[in-house]
Amino acid sequence: NAAITQALNDFLGGLDPTNLYVFMRRYWFFDAVPTIAKATGLTEAAVYLRLDRMKKSLAKHLAERGILI
């Protein structure tokens, strides 16, 4: 669906480089959290926290555009 694609692109475009890297490595490439933590220099807890916040932010972003998940 074009609306979903556009909404996802808008969301990803608004992320800072570290969050974009974390998001893409986890949800596009399915990297493990320890691998992402090592690559970014973040703790595993920090990676989990970022992922949780981004998931919530994405759900809100989509809902504001009428896309319910």
Side-chain angles (χ1 to χ4, degrees):
N1 183 318
I4 295 171
T5 300
Q6 185 60 52
L8 285 171
N9 285 336
D10 291 345
F11 175 78
L12 294 173
L15 295 178
D16 68 63
T18 301
N19 280 345
L20 179 60
Y21 180 86
V22 168
F23 188 94
M24 295 302 292
R25 294 311 307 187
R26 183 69 178 140
Y27 299 121
W28 185 259
F29 295 103
F30 303 105
D31 287 353
V33 168
T35 302
I36 298 167
K38 185 175 180 180
T40 58
L42 298 168
T43 64
E44 289 181 31
V47 172
Y48 280 116
L49 183 61
R50 285 173 184 249
L51 290 169
D52 184 60
R53 288 179 178 165
M54 284 187 283
K55 285 189 293 186
K56 290 175 182 173
S57 180
L58 175 57
K60 181 181 177 195
H61 179 82
L62 294 174
E64 289 171 348
R65 285 149 184 79
I67 302 166
L68 303 177
I69 55 170

